Amino acid sequence: MTLFRSILAVTLFLTFFITLSPAFQSDELLLDDEEFGLEGGRPQSRPSPNIATTTTTPTRKRIPDSASDSKIQFTLEHAFGDSDFSEAGNFSARLKTWSHGAQTLTKLRFSRDAFTAVEKNKFQELLKGDDFYRIRLPSNVLSPPGREYIVSSVKARCLAGDGLEEHFVIHTEGVNILAVNYGAPGACPYPRQLKLPAKWSFKSHTLLKNTEQAPRTPIFTEEVLGGEGIEGELIKPPERSFWAKYWMYVIPLGLIVMNAVTQAMNMPEEQAGGQGGAPQQPGTAVQRGTNPGVRRR
Amino acid sequence: MAMAIRVFLSFLLFLSLTNLASSLYEDQVGLMDWHQQYIGKVKHAVFHTQKTGRKRVLVSTEENVVASLDLRHGEIFWRHVLGTNDVVDGIDIALGKYVITLSSGGSILRAWNLPDGQMVWESSLQGSKASKSILNIPKNLKSDKDDLILVFGKGCLHAISSIDGEVLWKKDFAGESIEVSHIIQSPEVIYVAGFVGSSKFYVYELDAKSGELLKNNHIALPFRTSGESLYVPDDKFLVLDDARSKIVTININNGDINYNQKQISDLVKDSSGQAVILPSRLPGLSALKINSQVLLIKVTNEGELAVVDKIDNTAAFSNALSISEDQHVFAFVQYEDNKIHLSIKDVNDWSRDLLKENLVIDHQRGNIEKIFINNYVRTDRSHGFRALMVMEDHSLLLVQQGEIVWSREDGLASVVDVTTSELPVEKEGVSVAKVEQNLFEWLKGHVLKLKGTLMIASPEDKIAIQKLRLGSSEKSKMTRDHNGFRKLLIVLTRAGKVFALHTGDGHIVWSITLNTLRKSEDCEHPVGLNIYQWQVPHHHALDENPSILVIGRCGPSLSAPTALSFLDAYTGKELNSLSLAHTVARVIPLPYTDSTEQRLHLIIDFNKHAHLYPRTPEASEILKHEFSNIYWYSVEADNGVIRGHALKSNCIHEVVDEYCFVFRDLWSIVFPSESEKIIATVTRKSNEVVHTQAKVMTDHDVMYKYISKNILFVANAAPKASGDIGTATPEEALLVIYIIDTVTGRILHRMTHQGCQGPVHAVFSENWVVYHYFNLRAHRHEMSVIEVYDQSRADNKDIWKFLLGKHNLTSPISSYYRPEISAKSQSYFFTHSVKAIEVTSTAKGITSKQLLIGTIGDQVLAVDKRFLDPRRTLNPSQAEKEEGIIPLTDSLPIISQSYITHSLKVEGLRGIVTVPAKLESTSLVFAYGVDLFFTQIAPSRTYDSLTEDFNYALLLLTIVALVAALFITYVLSERKDLQEKWR
């Protein structure tokens, strides 16, 4: 009896601890939600759990089966063009209740009913007319349909590829479904070609998406500024070479020097020519006097 | 620490360098910008004509402006724009030097100094329930006495000293359930009168010194009354009964109340219409309006009624004006076969007209709605009168001696929607004489400028230069210019008048009051809704005039009938007008035009039908072709639902209507009503041009922008936090941001800001959205940016793929792709709260963008988009710095040079419109509110043109000097060469 009681106490404590933790670590849920459930699309066959949860992230905490978890189901309905909606499949998910009262959906699984012969005909008509295939979901999973149905639609020709492949991204907020991004995974630009599906089974991908937190505005307090200052002192600009620092002075100086040198080279020559007279005259005459010599003739 | 300061200083220097582009020198003010001040439609006017000093009129308007206008020219001496919730209830003058205004439903009383408009005092009056507010200021008391101002508001009567605004006493009537309609003040006692219910008339007598209740008396009438009552001095009230068939005189003589009644049919033979008591205060007279006829009824001391006169076709009545001790006059306006007569008569001496004038008023101004009169002494010592008239188009006229002395286009204070139009192309064959004169002027101007540049200009020259710059005839020309700076701004005002303003100097090119938007019997409260470009002629058909579509509705409810008007954009003539059988919920300009370049518009009505305009077989054919490619969305903000729609088929009424379609809902997004409420939705501008699809990152990586026209930004707040800032705690507040594809209804991005709340102002451009909200945790406003990039095309980076043609860049983009996007986001603090937010737009989208933020101080601030870049980091690398990434800061800098309104204020700022010029670097900005402001801005400076004041003369002179120098040196060198040879 005491053993049983202590086990109970431990479980309670654990549940309490674990259910409390999301209050300060809300990211945990998002990781859990971003897994794809891949369905074979076989009718009436409930998918085994190990297929549905293809990836499990290592950071995910184990949540014990406690009273705060419950399984719920909601239906997917479809319509062909402007026809009325009829049932097309079933979503099942886990409803998790947190200690602070919030409820979230996780572990979404989907099973789709196969098209009946009538529905196949209808779908073929849609394909011919390039019309819309529409689906709808309840906006509240606890009290369907909630306020209103969530409707989404896609051109039927987009779905028909090799098989029928569809993609659901369900945006949730607690137990409410806001919107569903429904469509084919591939490209589907206008004008769309008429193509009948090779096989009439759906390959469905589902994804639950919750809101993400906006990045916080960076707040620079004075300490941070001070820290930045220290950092700035630490990372001093690398010592530049002499050339890099003073090239703007060196180049003009060099030019001036060169100019001066050439002038100095010319000056002695002319001075020498003027003073020295005869001996050097022929040299200069060779340099300068050839042309005039030619012209004078 | 010194290092930190140095870093900070260098950062400041950097900032100041980067923002030089948008700053302005003092002498450049008014070169490219103009600013016009308005006051709005006048509600009350009080004249102040002292013997000395300037004559002025004090007005309060429907835009909540209190202003003092010059009576001679109509200019504004001073003006105060009260807040949008601070509606002015009454205005008057006290002590001969204070202007007293009562506003905010009788709870704020302010005194302004008459000469300069400084606020002298302000009193906040408390009360328990909303009621009619009455301002009563005694007229005949001497100014040295401590005048009492009596204010009734919020169910209380307050007596306030006019010297310092102190509340002397207060009497609460909230418990008495009386609808106070009159306050009558005599030196010792104050009478407060009003109805309880609709048949009991109460009169309270209060002591003027202390507010003590002296007497309380009432009379129960044996029938119900219409509620409106009129006070006729002395001690009489006129009331109409419920059926408006009897006129009742209530007499309060020394505390006794008695009444007389008389059938209206006894007074006038034809009394079939509804009788209305006009609220004009005329001593001893009352005016009763039946149909278009006005009966003037004299009330004798015994309470007897006698019809003095009947006036036909009256438009407006003024209050009485006392010109001497016992002479009271009033004015009225009559319409008689397209003529307008202004008559001024003495209240007691009915036989003669003091003044009878014929007026000529432009019929575009509509009817006269209000008239205020004032007297002056003529040169021959007789009385002269001038009248201030408020017209149907909200303009204000001063009439004296039968002529309009001045007029103010105050309809422009309430701009509803704006569009632009190009000007006509310049005709060829300009006369030679004009060119020659222009050439001479041109040379003269440049010589003057040259003098200015060389600093040899005399002060007179400087003035001439400045005048030349400001009065450049180029900018107000009525033709298209090469740079696309000259355009027509076509604005629709609340009065239903359309104005075309020239962007050069802001003058009114044309204006038209639309008949479909005028008050008539079918349409009591017409409102202008939107204005669209209907037809923009192609470059090959420039001789055709563009046209404009104006959409209006009868009354504010969505179910009211609507009307379309088509206007010629050059002349303002109404080409066509249609009264629609259906309503207008939304207008969608389609991206298709017919062979005459008329744009196709879909009008969605209230009953879920879509109507195509223009209603031509050609348009119908075009639509049929694109039938399956038309999608749109609707936002039901109250319901929290967004729906997507597509066209389905023609309407089936009795006959098939080719231009009417039914549509179906494709998708819906239902926000949980307990946690979210839609507070803002923004889309991209349909005519925006994006130059590059890709953005090259610093690591030579390429990011592809997610550019879709069908994209919607939605901001939702928690219902608890959708009120004013301060009403919710940070824990309750929540702001959820969505980016939604409007064709498929897919949520592309979703993000929550905890502890934040609206109001949200946002702008969407290219692949980014910037929005402004309030962060309750940080107690500051914030601005966030989200940039959306397309991941599905992200692997098109390999050059070999391009060479081998294996990229998917040329493949068409469809909304039916599964979106693979990545969003980058960053938030920054921003000091101001914001009234409007816009982004610059240029012709090709190459120029970098600036955000234009209408601040709470009614100025427009230009903030470079680079400051709102999600890639800003604390220590950008060298490569990032070269790219122009600014080091991360927590708040956006506000640099005073980057106010594009410089020292001016656009009072009551409501919206900012940007239009691209033809020149790529420049964007035209028009900000409107009570004031109008226009300027050109170049976010990356005018890199593609010389500035307007570029000195061509100096350039010419330099070239001439260079050529001359070349010639001279050539000659010199030749000569020297020759000398060399002769040596």
Side-chain angles (χ1 to χ4, degrees), chain B residues 34 40 43 87 117 157 269 347 399 497 725 733 955:
Chain B
W34 47 264
K43 273 201 292 197
V87 180
L157 180 69
K269 281 174 193 105
V347 172
V399 174
K497 195 169 184 179
I725 294 164
L955 182 71

Side-chain angles (χ1 to χ4, degrees), chain A residues 36 81-82 131-132 134 139-140 147-155 158 167 171-173 176-190 192 209-220 225 228-229 231-233 295-296, chain B residues 1 3-4 625 628-629 631 639-641 643 646 648 664-676 736 738 744-754 775 782 812 814 816-818 825-829 874-875 888-890 981 983:
Chain A
F36 268 98
D82 297 312
D131 213 341
F132 287 99
R134 300 197 292 161
S139 66
N140 190 312
R147 217 146 51 87
E148 220 173 294
Y149 280 104
I150 308 290
V151 183
S152 189
S153 52
V154 69
K155 289 270 181 185
C158 292
H167 225 279
H171 291 264
T172 60
E173 169 72 52
N176 294 301
I177 296 177
L178 298 184
V180 53
N181 296 6
Y182 179 66
C188 186
Y190 179 84
R192 290 165 279 267
K209 247 193 178 166
N210 221 316
T211 182
E212 52 185 271
Q213 291 295 323
R216 288 268 301 271
T217 311
I219 297 176
F220 297 156
L225 256 179
E228 216 186 340
E231 221 178 329
E233 265 176 80
R295 265 196 223 161
R296 251 175 228 163
Chain B
M1 193 61 211
M3 194 65 200
H625 198 253
S628 62
N629 286 339
Y631 300 89
N639 204 10
V641 180
R643 284 178 218 281
K648 193 167 142 192
R664 57 176 157 211
D665 296 352
L666 288 186
W667 52 265
S668 63
I669 295 174
V670 182
F671 297 112
S673 54
E674 65 274 11
S675 63
E676 288 177 35
V736 194
Y738 296 88
T744 59
R746 285 170 172 160
I747 295 181
L748 302 176
H749 186 64
R750 181 178 169 203
M751 202 163 79
T752 309
H753 292 269
Q754 292 287 350
N775 187 335
E782 269 183 12
S814 160
Y816 287 108
Y817 277 119
R818 191 158 64 88
S825 164
Q826 180 69 271
S827 305
Y828 301 95
F829 291 124
L874 212 53
N875 290 308
L888 184 68
T889 47
D890 58 350
K981 286 170 189 167
R983 190 180 281 173

Side-chain angles (χ1 to χ4, degrees), chain B residues 332-399:
Chain B
F332 60 90
V333 180
Q334 265 176 296
Y335 278 92
E336 232 170 71
D337 4 290
N338 299 328
K339 278 188 202 153
I340 302 161
H341 302 291
L342 170 71
S343 311
I344 291 176
K345 291 201 177 195
D346 193 324
V347 172
N348 298 320
D349 180 11
W350 192 251
S351 53
R352 75 192 168 96
D353 286 322
L354 287 171
L355 188 79
K356 195 162 173 91
E357 284 165 352
N358 285 335
L359 300 177
V360 183
I361 296 176
D362 183 6
H363 70 274
Q364 291 296 347
R365 293 190 187 279
N367 293 332
I368 297 167
E369 294 206 336
K370 274 181 185 156
I371 176 165
F372 303 94
I373 53 165
N374 172 237
N375 66 320
Y376 61 95
V377 181
R378 286 195 191 131
T379 43
D380 60 351
R381 303 260 161 210
S382 62
H383 286 294
F385 298 94
R386 50 171 88 92
L388 192 68
M389 295 178 181
V390 183
M391 308 298 293
E392 197 181 347
D393 69 341
H394 298 186
S395 62
L396 190 65
L397 309 180
L398 187 87
V399 174

